[in-house]
Amino acid sequence: MRKTFILITICLLFGAANIFAQSSDVGIKPNFAGGEVTSVVAGKIVLQTKDGAIDVALTDKTQYKRIPPENPILPAAVASSFEEIEVGDKLLVTGVVSEDKKSVPAKAVYLLSKSDIAQRNTKDQEKWRTRGISGQVKSVNPQTKEITVAVRGVASSSDVTVTPKDNAKLLRYAPDSINYNEAKASSFADIKNGDMIRAYGDKSADGSTVKAEEVVTGAFQTIAGTITAVNPEKNEITINNIQTKKDVTIVVGKNTVAKQFPAEMAQRMAMMQVMRASGAQPGQGGMKPPQSNQTDRQTQPPTQPAGQNRMGQGGGMRGGGSIDDMLDRFPNITISDLKVGDMVAVSSTKGGNLENVTAIKLLSGVEPFLKTPQFPQGGGRRGGGQGGQDSGFSIPGLDGIGFP
C-alpha cells in the first residue's frame, strides 16, 4: 500500500513538473506547490500560486535544484542553492503541505529562474519566427498528410504546403483557452478547414513547403462591435456585436495582445481591401477612402515608451515583414485606454459561450475596416465569425494564433 502511494505521488510530481516547466504554476497540492516567488528572507520564501499564497519553510536539510531551460525536466536538474533564488523566479517545492494550504516545509526546491525563462522564451520566439509559418488551413489531404495553408503578408498572400514529419508534435488549443501551455496533444485528423495554424520546421528555399516538427492548430472566431461598457476592475468590456446586435462580454486577460491600429494606416489598408474586392486598381477613380468618426483621442495612437518599436511617418512601418511583425509594431494599449463608443475587434477561441469570450487579440482603431462596403465576391474580405460564420470583414493582424 505504501509503495502504491509512493508511486502515485511520484507520478503526480512528474506530471506537475511537466506543467511547471511549461506554465510555471501548478498551484498547491498535498505534497508539492509551484508558483512565483514574491518574497525571499532567511528561512522562508513566499510563493504566489494560482491557488493562493503559500509560505515555504526552509531548513538546513532542504535540497536545491535548478531546472535548465533547454531541458526543463526534473531528471535534468542540477545542483543549486538558496542564494540563487530571487523575486520573480518560479519554484516547484516538494513537501507535506499543511491542511490550510498556507505553508509547506520544503524537502526539495526546484528553481526555474526568471532569466532562464526569458532566455527560453527568446529562443522559442526566434525559432517560430525564423523557421515557422502561420495562417489559415485551406485544405487537408489525409492521404498525403499535407495541409495547404493560406499565409497572409502585409500586402500579399501565398499558399504553403505543410507536411508534419513522422515524429512531429501535434497540438490543439483547448476550448476557451488562449494559453499555448494548455494546448492538448492532437492528431492529424483533428485539423479542419478554416482552422488557424502555426507550424515550424524545415522550409524549402522558396518557402512554399514546410516539413513540420511541430504543428499547433485551433478553431477561432472574430467579432467586432461598439463598446457599451468598460469594467477595469474585472478587466472586461462589453460590446454590441455588429453582426448579431447582441451584447458580448470580452475578457481582457494577462495574455491578451491589445493594440491600437494607427488611424491613417487603417484607412489606407481598408481602402486597399475595398479596391481588391471590387477589382479596382490603385489610382482608379470612383471610390473614396472609408471615413472614421472617431474622436481625436481615438485616431491618435497612444504614446509609446522610449525604446519600443515605433511606426514611421504617415502610419507606415519601418522595414517589411509579416502580419505578425506589423502587429508587433503597433502601439500597446490597456483596458484603461478604451472608452464607451469605441469600435473594437477581437479574436478568441471558439467555445460554447458566445456571450462571454476571452480575447486573444484586441484591436482598437478598426472603424475603417468595419465601415467599408461589403462585397459578396470576397477578395480576402472573409473572417472567422461567430460560430464559424462569415464575419463579413477582415482586419490584418487580428487573425492568427501568435507566438506560443
XYZ file of all heavy atoms in Angstrom, residues 2 5 9 35 92 97 119 179 184 214 253 275 286 300 321 333 337 362 370 395 399:
160
model
N 1.903 1.219 0.850
C 2.804 2.369 0.921
C 3.539 2.566 -0.398
O 3.735 3.698 -0.857
C 3.791 2.179 2.069
C 4.781 3.338 2.195
C 5.682 3.149 3.407
N 6.701 4.163 3.454
C 6.527 5.396 3.886
N 5.325 5.778 4.304
N 7.516 6.267 3.910
N 1.259 4.204 -2.840
C 1.130 5.632 -2.544
C 2.346 6.399 -3.046
O 2.222 7.484 -3.627
C 0.959 5.836 -1.040
C 0.939 7.279 -0.624
C -0.192 8.057 -0.810
C 2.072 7.868 -0.057
C -0.200 9.397 -0.438
C 2.060 9.194 0.311
C 0.920 9.963 0.124
N 2.424 9.290 -5.891
C 3.000 10.608 -5.593
C 4.073 10.984 -6.610
O 4.134 12.131 -7.079
C 3.608 10.622 -4.177
O 2.575 10.320 -3.228
C 4.202 11.981 -3.860
N 4.808 27.940 -8.030
C 4.358 29.283 -8.381
C 5.522 30.246 -8.470
O 6.678 29.850 -8.625
N 9.194 24.987 -7.847
C 8.392 23.807 -7.536
C 8.964 23.233 -6.254
O 10.143 22.875 -6.187
C 8.471 22.778 -8.662
C 7.718 21.462 -8.425
C 6.221 21.708 -8.314
C 8.007 20.460 -9.534
N 2.208 19.575 2.495
C 1.529 20.865 2.637
C 0.568 20.820 3.828
O -0.098 19.804 4.065
C 0.758 21.210 1.345
C -0.052 22.489 1.513
C 1.735 21.331 0.175
N 15.328 33.699 -21.348
C 16.207 33.124 -22.369
C 15.460 32.078 -23.197
O 15.554 32.053 -24.425
C 17.422 32.482 -21.691
C 18.377 31.766 -22.649
C 19.479 31.021 -21.901
O 19.677 31.204 -20.704
N 20.184 30.169 -22.597
N -4.037 29.943 -24.008
C -2.713 29.652 -23.486
C -2.085 28.478 -24.237
O -2.608 27.360 -24.207
C -2.805 29.337 -21.990
C -1.444 29.312 -21.311
O -0.407 29.179 -21.969
N -1.441 29.454 -20.008
N -3.534 20.834 -25.995
C -3.571 19.392 -25.776
C -2.968 18.650 -26.967
O -2.984 19.137 -28.100
C -5.019 18.926 -25.581
C -5.781 19.683 -24.502
C -5.155 19.501 -23.132
C -5.983 20.213 -22.055
N -5.374 20.095 -20.702
N 6.657 20.729 -35.473
C 5.560 20.994 -34.536
C 4.457 21.736 -35.263
O 4.719 22.638 -36.060
C 6.038 21.802 -33.327
C 4.948 22.043 -32.294
C 5.473 22.597 -30.974
O 6.688 22.458 -30.709
O 4.671 23.167 -30.219
N -7.507 39.339 -20.803
C -6.656 38.607 -19.875
C -5.213 39.051 -19.916
O -4.812 39.903 -20.718
N -10.681 48.016 -52.803
C -10.267 48.021 -54.201
C -10.033 46.605 -54.714
O -10.432 46.261 -55.831
C -9.007 48.879 -54.368
C -9.240 50.349 -54.056
S -7.721 51.325 -54.117
C -7.367 51.284 -55.861
N -13.556 56.973 -58.543
C -14.870 56.459 -58.224
C -15.002 55.852 -56.851
O -16.059 55.384 -56.486
N -5.508 59.077 -32.711
C -4.084 59.249 -32.434
C -3.602 58.094 -31.578
O -4.120 57.861 -30.490
C -3.842 60.579 -31.687
C -4.151 61.800 -32.535
C -3.306 61.870 -33.784
O -2.121 61.555 -33.754
N -3.892 62.278 -34.885
N 8.021 42.637 -43.537
C 7.751 41.529 -42.654
C 6.346 41.025 -42.782
O 5.593 41.405 -43.676
N -1.972 49.006 -25.927
C -2.985 49.719 -25.161
C -3.414 48.838 -23.987
O -3.118 47.645 -23.950
C -4.222 50.086 -26.009
C -4.861 48.822 -26.598
C -3.868 51.072 -27.097
C -6.191 49.098 -27.307
N -7.372 52.513 -21.732
C -7.354 53.341 -22.937
C -8.656 53.244 -23.720
O -8.868 54.020 -24.669
C -6.198 52.922 -23.860
C -4.835 53.195 -23.245
O -4.639 54.320 -22.750
O -3.992 52.282 -23.240
N -6.918 41.963 -29.315
C -7.911 43.033 -29.318
C -7.314 44.222 -30.054
O -6.196 44.641 -29.738
C -8.301 43.427 -27.899
C -9.370 44.521 -27.745
C -10.166 44.305 -26.457
C -8.777 45.928 -27.754
N -14.578 48.293 -40.603
C -15.963 47.917 -40.338
C -16.949 48.794 -41.084
O -18.123 48.437 -41.210
C -16.235 47.999 -38.833
C -15.285 47.186 -37.943
C -15.658 47.355 -36.476
C -15.312 45.719 -38.331
N -9.573 42.024 -40.838
C -8.711 43.042 -40.251
C -7.301 42.473 -40.128
O -7.084 41.516 -39.379
C -9.236 43.493 -38.888
C -10.648 44.067 -39.046
C -8.302 44.508 -38.253
C -11.301 44.439 -37.745
N -6.400 38.044 -37.113
C -6.451 36.591 -37.155
C -5.056 36.031 -36.873
O -4.077 36.756 -36.792
C -6.969 36.091 -38.513
C -6.175 36.655 -39.691
O -5.192 37.379 -39.434
O -6.555 36.395 -40.838
